[in-house]
Amino acid sequence: MQRRPTERARRGVLPKPTSPRTATLVSLDAETAALRELREMLLRSPRELPCKYLYDDAGSALFEEITRLPEYFPTRTERALLESRASAIVESAGGSKLTDIVELGSGAASKTVALLDAALAAGGRPKYVAVDISAHALQRTREILTEARPEIPVEHVLADYTKPLQLPWRPAGGRRLVLFLGGTIGNEEDASAIKLLSRVREHMEPDDLLLLGANLVTDPAGIHLAYNDPRGVTAAFNRNLLLHVNAVAKSKFDPAAFDHHAPYVVQHRRIEMWLIAREAMTVDLGRIGGRLALGRGEGIRTEISRRFTRDEVLRLVDASGFTPERWIESPEGRFGLAMGLARASLRGV
Ligand code: SAH
Ligand code: AVI
C-alpha cells in the first residue's frame, strides 16, 4: 500500500526535493516514486524487491548468458517455435500490410529476427520498436538488428512497461504486431499482467495482433534446474539485483552475504527467486530511508516466474482486450505462443 505524501514527509522517509515543488509534482517524480516502491516492497511480508532491478547493464549481460545455458530451455524452445511458425504468424498479422512490430522487454531481440525475416519475405517493410527498461538491452537490440537486418528501421523506447507507456504512432492504415516474448509475462501476477497488456491494447487498433510467449507447466525437476544452473550464472544474476538497488538508492546491501534460492513451488506453479541472508544483518537503506534488519535465513523475494496452462494464457489474453486467435505449442509442451486479435474497445458505449 502507498502512503500519502503528507504522511511520508512527516516520517522523513524520503529525500526532500531539491527545489520547491507541489505535492503533485513530488509524487510524480520518477526517482521519488522508485524509492517509494522499493520501500513499500521491502516492507511487505514476505519482503520483496522489484524484478525489473535485475536488468542493469551487468544484469542484462548475465541474462543473455543465462539464455545460452544448456539448463535454461525457455529461450531455445521459443526460438524454435518462432522460427518454424514465423510466416504463419506474420500472415495472421497482416503480411505485407504489417507496418510496425513493437516488442516489450525486447532484451537482445535475437529471436525476433525470424519474424522480421518473415515480414520482409511477405513483401512488407515494417519498422521495429523495442521497448525495454534497460539501456544496455536496447543497445544490444540495435547492434544485433543493425548487423542482421540493416534494412529494418529500429526505434527505441526506454521505458518501464508497468507504468503508462508512450509508443510511437503507427502509420494510418497499417497494422501493428506487439510481441511480449520470453515468458516475461510470467514475472507478473495476474492483476498486473492484465493491467500491463490492457495498457498495451490502448495503443492498438482493432485487427492489430498480440503475440504472447508463455512458459507452460512441465516437470518440476527440469524447471528447477533451469533456475539453479551449476555454473551459478542465475545466482550471479539474482545477487546483482542488490548492486542495482544500491546504485539507485545508495543503500549498502552486500550481495556476497546472500544465498541464491530458487525453488519451484508446485502449489503456485512458479519459480520463486529469493535472496537469503546467510547471517543476521542490518542493512543501511540509504535514500530509501532507515535500516533493514534481517535474521539469519530471512529472505527477500526478487522474482516469480510462472508456468501456465494453455487455458490460463488464453484467459489472460482475453481479459486484456484481445480475442484469442491461435495457439502454438512446442512439441514437448514446455512453451506456448498465444496470438490475440485486438478487440474493438467498448469505451464510450
Ligand atoms: N524478450 C527477451 C528478453 C527477456 S528478459 C527474450 O525473450 O529473451 C526480460 C526483458 O524485459 C529484459 O530485457 C528487461 O530489461 C526487460 N524488462 C523487465 N522489466 C521491465 C519493465 N518493467 N519495463 C520494461 N522492460 C522490462
Ligand atoms: C525474463 N524472464 C522471463 C526470465 C524468467 O525465466 O523468468 C528471467 C530469469 N530469471 C531467472 N532466470 C531467468
Side-chain angles (χ1 to χ4, degrees):
M1 263 184 313
Q2 293 179 354
R3 274 187 211 97
R4 293 204 307 277
T6 45
E7 189 188 339
R8 279 202 316 274
R10 215 180 327 112
R11 289 164 150 248
V13 163
L14 294 170
K16 292 201 170 58
T18 46
S19 56
R21 282 180 279 192
T22 66
T24 321
L25 281 173
V26 171
S27 75
L28 288 175
D29 182 86
E31 213 171 62
T32 305
L35 294 170
R36 187 176 55 203
E37 182 182 42
L38 286 167
R39 181 177 180 80
E40 184 269 319
M41 288 187 71
L42 280 171
L43 286 175
R44 282 185 194 169
S45 178
R47 299 187 194 286
E48 287 184 84
L49 280 168
C51 65
K52 63 190 171 198
Y53 283 88
L54 290 165
Y55 303 96
D56 61 354
D57 289 6
S60 295
L62 282 165
F63 177 73
E64 245 191 288
E65 209 178 322
I66 289 174
T67 62
R68 291 192 285 265
L69 291 171
E71 296 82 11
Y72 191 77
F73 59 84
T75 306
R76 60 171 187 277
T77 311
E78 188 185 36
R79 185 190 306 280
L81 263 189
L82 285 171
E83 285 175 358
S84 62
R85 307 300 283 273
S87 39
I89 293 169
V90 163
E91 219 33 67
S92 309
S96 61
K97 289 206 213 103
L98 187 56
T99 45
D100 55 346
I101 298 186
V102 177
E103 181 162 11
L104 300 177
S106 49
S110 62
K111 282 176 293 185
T112 314
V113 173
L115 292 172
L116 296 175
D117 277 348
L120 291 173
R125 200 167 175 279
K127 174 174 76 179
Y128 174 71
V129 182
V131 182
D132 206 290
I133 203 167
S134 156
H136 177 95
L138 291 175
Q139 180 54 31
R140 287 288 291 138
T141 306
R142 188 181 284 288
E143 279 166 18
I144 288 177
L145 289 186
T146 311
E147 166 86 24
R149 300 296 170 266
E151 61 273 51
I152 304 246
V154 179
E155 273 190 49
H156 287 166
V157 179
L158 182 65
D160 179 346
Y161 54 55
T162 63
K163 311 276 184 250
L165 271 179
Q166 294 285 336
L167 288 182
W169 290 107
R170 69 155 219 198
R175 286 274 184 88
R176 173 169 271 180
L177 167 64
V178 174
L179 311 174
F180 197 22
L181 303 176
T184 309
I185 194 68
N187 298 140
E188 306 290 330
E189 304 271 8
D190 268 354
S192 46
I194 292 170
K195 195 164 161 189
L196 187 168
L197 293 174
S198 304
R199 216 180 258 146
V200 170
R201 164 68 193 85
E202 285 169 16
H203 290 272
M204 298 168 78
E205 299 295 327
D207 287 346
D208 285 348
L209 209 79
L210 168 75
L211 183 69
L212 181 68
N215 278 297
L216 303 181
V217 180
T218 52
D219 60 306
I223 299 172
H224 179 89
L225 200 58
Y227 294 79
N228 292 275
D229 59 288
R231 280 182 48 209
V233 183
T234 310
F237 174 63
N238 192 8
R239 288 198 188 93
N240 178 70
L241 175 145
L242 294 178
L243 293 180
H244 191 186
V245 171
N246 284 347
V248 169
K250 309 270 180 290
S251 52
K252 300 269 169 29
F253 285 102
D254 172 12
F258 289 84
D259 284 323
H260 167 73
H261 179 59
Y264 179 66
V265 182
V266 174
Q267 182 195 1
H268 298 303
R269 298 201 300 256
R270 66 191 193 190
I271 283 282
E272 293 197 358
M273 217 162 60
W274 293 76
L275 287 165
I276 309 287
R278 214 169 284 134
E279 301 295 341
M281 63 175 79
T282 306
V283 182
D284 176 353
L285 290 179
R287 296 168 65 214
I288 297 169
R291 298 171 74 77
L292 177 71
L294 291 173
R296 184 178 179 197
E298 197 176 339
I300 301 174
R301 190 164 61 199
T302 52
E303 186 189 63
I304 59 164
S305 188
R306 300 169 62 193
R307 312 290 114 165
F308 297 90
T309 62
R310 169 185 177 272
D311 286 356
E312 283 169 343
V313 181
L314 297 181
R315 267 202 299 274
L316 269 186
V317 167
D318 185 57
S320 310
F322 300 90
T323 304
E325 283 275 301
R326 191 182 276 232
W327 174 254
I328 306 172
E329 197 172 299
S330 69
E332 355 56 67
R334 283 179 147 182
F335 203 92
L337 288 167
M339 293 171 68
L341 200 62
R343 266 199 305 270
S345 166
L346 291 178
R347 266 176 307 165
V349 171

